[in-house]
Amino acid sequence: MKQYSAKRSIQILAHILEQYGIDKIIISPGSRNAPLAIHFSEIDAFQCYSIVDERAAAFVGLGISKSIKKPVAITCTSGSAATNYYPAIVEAFYQNVPLLVLTADRPADFVDIFDGQTIRQKDIFEKHSVHNVQLSESEETDDLTRNMLLTKYALIDCMHKSAPIHINMPFSEPLYESVTTPDIEIDTITIPAKDYPEIDVIDLMKRWNASTRKMILVGLHHPDAKFDHFVKQLAQDDSVVVLTEVTSNIHDERFFNKIDQVIFPYSEEELEALKPDILLTIGQNVVSKKIKKFLRDQKPTQHWHLDEYWQPDTFQALTDKIETKPELFLEQFVPFVNPKESEYYNTWNSIREANNIKHKNYINMIPFCDLKAFDSIIRNYPENWQIQYGNSTIIRYGLLYDHNNSNPVFCNRGTSGIDGSTSTAIGACIAFGQNTVMITGDISFFYDSNALWNVNMPNNFRIILINNGGGNIFKFIPGPSETDVVEDYFETKHHFTAEHLAKMYGFEYQVVSNLTDLENTFEDFYAESNRPKILEIDTRNSANDAILRGYFSS
């Protein structure tokens, strides 16, 4: 016989989640959130996942939510457990991922009297969430009605703004009281449609058609065939260049998908010829620091940003905010665009063609190293596998290569931290069951090693670990590399391998340290198996920093 929590605030919450179609719940074990765990796990409409480490759990929830484009609930006990959610909440906030954060709490009058696992939890995430409420413990009719309304409006914000919300729920003991039938009934709850501001498409179209140098820069973006179609149409115009990154998830031969290769080696005067009159940015964070510097130094006359959530003035030149879904705007805009005679595309393309030759020549001449390994990794991606990149140097290496358009590519570029990359990738693999490979660096991998402590681990999850013995990015970037303490306090040198972690968590494991072995291992690595796999690539004896600097100087 099913046993539901006797706490009516939980019954109300569960009913509303079910009405809104929020059916995935990540539960981290604890005592204070036991009523939530008991109740959710007994309702057939909910799919519950138990993940012990709250930081990993929150990133798994983020990965699932990004994949299904729906809110995912994460719930934990009180005190320090809740604070471990914060890194994932910040990442979700800047990526517009709708996380529903449900924290159990001690009663309000227990705060600041030195009671165990009791901290100031109310509004703890308010700087990086769009709605924060604390529910009442009272079961008086008026208080239950208020709880219902607070929950309803918070969830509407979660969905309309596609961002984290926080519901804090104080619970007094007893925590484990149950009933066989929930005794709360609520009328059907509907979600109101989202409104968008009016957009003067005609004015924008006239300005666009008058310009001979237009740039479209697409940042972080989910795969979307309709969006892809419209951007391809715009790219047929010789007065337009379209710059993309691997996380833009759009592909066409006219798109410039390796930005750093084009703009890195040139002087201010030479870059002036590449400067756009109109810059249209779409989507979210752009990885390339070089394009950010270029557009901040060579400011466009007009900068339009098209996104339904964020309107950032990334290049200190923002003139027009287009607040709607990109595909909806482009559907209205593209039919009225007239191609303009211009040499703008050809100027960019001639540079690209020359640098593509230099790229191939350089890769062919270098010894085995991070850069060479990446060339092999990307050439050997199986079709239709989901790719998840870690941060720091890993995603930057990924930007230097062409990718197959059958491989959707993701990376945590909201805050760009190394924490939680593996957990997010696991969540994404869990969400749809799509074959997934995570490419990560050693510091990020070991930092998030609790990601592997997950009873829900899919067998079709793969990790490629590039182990160069430390945070090599600090040898590349100006500043740390010029100090005497780069190895001790920036690079974090180590002698760890993933072998023992793989054994402990039940992963198949293989290590390679040369190109021949790497090329020969991919077929088996991607083959179907009854366990997930880790492939470790040891490049610790390679001059990775010098080779990468040589790549750009060449």
Side-chain angles (χ1 to χ4, degrees):
M1 180 180 295
K2 291 184 180 291
Q3 299 289 316
Y4 304 96
S5 174
K7 294 186 181 295
R8 292 182 174 181
S9 59
I10 294 177
Q11 296 177 23
I12 291 170
L13 172 66
H15 183 85
I16 296 174
L17 294 189
E18 194 170 348
Q19 291 270 313
Y20 283 0
I22 301 169
D23 57 3
K24 291 182 170 51
I25 319 288
I26 312 291
I27 301 171
S28 292
S31 181
R32 194 58 48 166
N33 65 329
L36 290 160
I38 291 168
H39 196 83
F40 287 138
S41 63
E42 290 282 30
I43 298 176
D44 294 337
F46 295 134
Q47 188 170 7
C48 297
Y49 306 88
S50 176
I51 300 176
V52 174
D53 184 301
E54 285 86 5
R55 184 169 62 84
F59 276 108
V60 169
L62 182 144
I64 294 174
S65 182
K66 278 173 63 175
S67 298
I68 65 175
K69 299 180 183 178
K70 283 172 51 179
V72 167
I74 56 177
T75 179
C76 69
T77 192
S78 64
S80 59
T83 65
N84 284 302
Y85 277 168
Y86 217 134
I89 290 170
V90 174
E91 182 65 32
F93 180 74
Y94 284 108
Q95 276 199 65
N96 286 107
V97 177
L99 272 186
L100 168 56
V101 183
L102 305 174
T103 54
D105 200 357
R106 258 53 174 188
D109 57 356
F110 280 39
V111 176
D112 288 347
I113 64 168
F114 288 11
D115 199 60
Q117 280 293 306
T118 309
I119 64 173
R120 300 174 186 177
Q121 263 179 231
K122 183 182 178 184
D123 299 331
I124 193 172
F125 307 120
E126 66 176 340
K127 294 294 186 183
H128 296 95
S129 53
V130 296
H131 205 122
N132 296 268
V133 298
Q134 176 148 313
L135 302 186
S136 171
E137 281 202 84
S138 168
E139 299 206 343
E140 297 295 327
T141 301
D142 287 349
D143 292 315
L144 290 174
T145 300
R146 180 176 177 274
N147 282 352
M148 181 194 71
L149 293 173
L150 287 172
T151 301
K152 173 184 173 182
Y153 294 133
L155 284 167
I156 290 172
D157 260 359
C158 184
M159 289 181 276
H160 280 188
K161 297 177 181 178
S162 192
I165 64 166
H166 176 212
I167 298 178
N168 195 50
M169 308 179 70
F171 296 133
S172 295
E173 296 180 6
L175 301 173
Y176 297 89
E177 280 191 326
S178 61
V179 294
T180 56
T181 305
D183 51 3
I184 288 290
E185 292 185 10
I186 304 176
D187 293 336
T188 300
I189 301 172
T190 57
I191 306 168
K194 181 177 178 179
D195 293 324
Y196 295 102
E198 286 288 330
I199 299 166
D200 191 343
V201 178
I202 301 301
D203 174 60
L204 293 169
M205 175 267 294
K206 288 178 180 177
R207 285 189 269 157
W208 184 268
N209 286 337
S211 172
T212 58
R213 305 202 323 177
K214 300 174 285 267
M215 176 186 291
I216 300 171
L217 174 59
V218 184
L220 199 68
H221 198 277
H222 279 268
D224 186 307
K226 191 175 183 180
F227 173 75
D228 199 347
H229 168 73
F230 288 129
V231 179
K232 283 179 179 178
Q233 285 187 272
L234 290 171
Q236 300 310 306
D237 183 351
D238 282 344
S239 69
V240 174
V241 297
V242 177
L243 308 187
T244 69
E245 297 185 324
V246 293
T247 51
S248 304
N249 285 302
I250 58 173
H251 302 267
D252 189 81
E253 62 182 11
R254 285 182 70 92
F255 295 168
F256 294 83
N257 62 327
K258 294 173 288 186
I259 300 171
D260 288 359
Q261 279 188 22
V262 180
I263 64 172
F264 179 75
Y266 296 97
S267 66
E268 295 281 325
E269 294 76 19
E270 291 169 317
L271 289 172
E272 180 70 25
L274 304 179
K275 172 184 172 180
D277 295 325
I278 296 177
L279 169 66
L280 170 60
T281 52
I282 306 174
Q284 298 176 337
N285 208 312
V286 173
V287 179
S288 171
K289 292 181 70 173
K290 296 176 179 63
I291 193 63
K292 290 175 185 174
K293 184 179 188 307
F294 165 57
L295 290 170
R296 285 168 184 163
D297 292 344
Q298 310 287 337
K299 293 189 190 299
T301 306
Q302 302 175 53
H303 173 202
W304 310 352
H305 186 71
L306 170 57
D307 187 78
E308 68 175 309
Y309 304 116
W310 286 93
Q311 300 297 322
D313 191 6
T314 304
F315 310 107
Q316 288 90 50
L318 187 65
T319 57
D320 295 83
K321 300 178 180 181
I322 309 172
E323 298 179 49
T324 188
K325 290 179 181 290
E327 63 273 17
L328 295 181
F329 170 76
L330 295 175
E331 188 172 28
Q332 301 174 62
F333 182 75
V334 170
F336 296 100
V337 167
N338 298 320
K340 196 86 171 175
E341 189 173 330
S342 172
E343 284 300 310
Y344 192 50
Y345 172 82
N346 291 333
T347 301
W348 276 81
N349 195 45
S350 62
I351 297 171
R352 170 171 60 180
E353 289 177 345
N355 285 350
N356 273 339
I357 293 170
K358 294 176 183 177
H359 169 89
K360 292 175 183 176
N361 290 340
Y362 191 82
I363 297 301
N364 288 337
M365 65 169 279
I366 58 176
F368 189 66
C369 61
D370 288 354
L371 191 62
K372 190 91 164 183
F374 255 91
D375 180 71
S376 178
I377 291 166
I378 292 171
R379 281 189 289 101
N380 285 282
Y381 283 142
E383 289 199 355
N384 300 312
W385 276 62
Q386 177 181 207
I387 299 167
Q388 295 274 341
Y389 279 119
N391 268 308
S392 200
T393 52
I394 295 298
I395 184 59
R396 288 174 172 82
Y397 276 121
L399 297 180
L400 302 177
Y401 295 90
D402 293 315
H403 285 63
N404 189 315
N405 61 10
S406 78
N407 300 120
V409 179
F410 301 95
C411 181
N412 278 350
R413 294 304 297 181
T415 59
S416 309
I418 65 167
D419 51 343
S421 294
T422 308
S423 297
T424 303
I426 292 167
C429 188
I430 289 171
F432 276 145
Q434 182 178 9
N435 294 333
T436 300
V437 56
M438 168 73 186
I439 301 88
T440 183
D442 46 286
I443 301 300
S444 181
F445 173 79
F446 292 117
Y447 192 94
D448 193 26
S449 60
N450 267 5
L452 309 183
W453 186 11
N454 189 329
V455 296
N456 312 284
M457 186 72 67
N459 292 331
N460 61 342
F461 182 65
R462 304 287 184 268
I463 296 174
I464 296 177
L465 165 60
I466 298 181
N467 190 345
N468 53 35
N472 270 199
I473 192 170
F474 294 107
K475 287 184 176 179
F476 305 144
I477 61 177
S481 59
E482 297 162 8
T483 73
D484 294 329
V485 296
V486 63
E487 291 190 358
D488 292 332
Y489 297 106
F490 291 99
E491 190 184 7
T492 323
K493 289 183 71 67
H494 65 86
H495 300 286
F496 299 142
T497 73
E499 182 178 5
H500 296 296
L501 282 171
K503 182 177 180 180
M504 182 165 68
Y505 291 116
F507 278 67
E508 292 185 23
Y509 172 80
Q510 186 171 359
V511 61
V512 297
S513 57
N514 61 71
L515 184 61
T516 301
D517 288 347
L518 179 60
E519 292 276 349
N520 289 338
T521 197
F522 284 120
E523 183 177 355
D524 179 65
F525 178 68
Y526 287 116
E528 186 175 341
S529 65
N530 58 10
R531 288 196 294 165
K533 301 179 184 178
I534 295 174
L535 170 60
E536 184 164 356
I537 303 173
D538 185 352
T539 64
R540 286 176 289 185
N541 294 325
S542 304
N544 294 300
D545 53 329
I547 290 170
L548 186 59
R549 282 194 292 268
Y551 173 84
F552 284 111
S553 64
S554 73

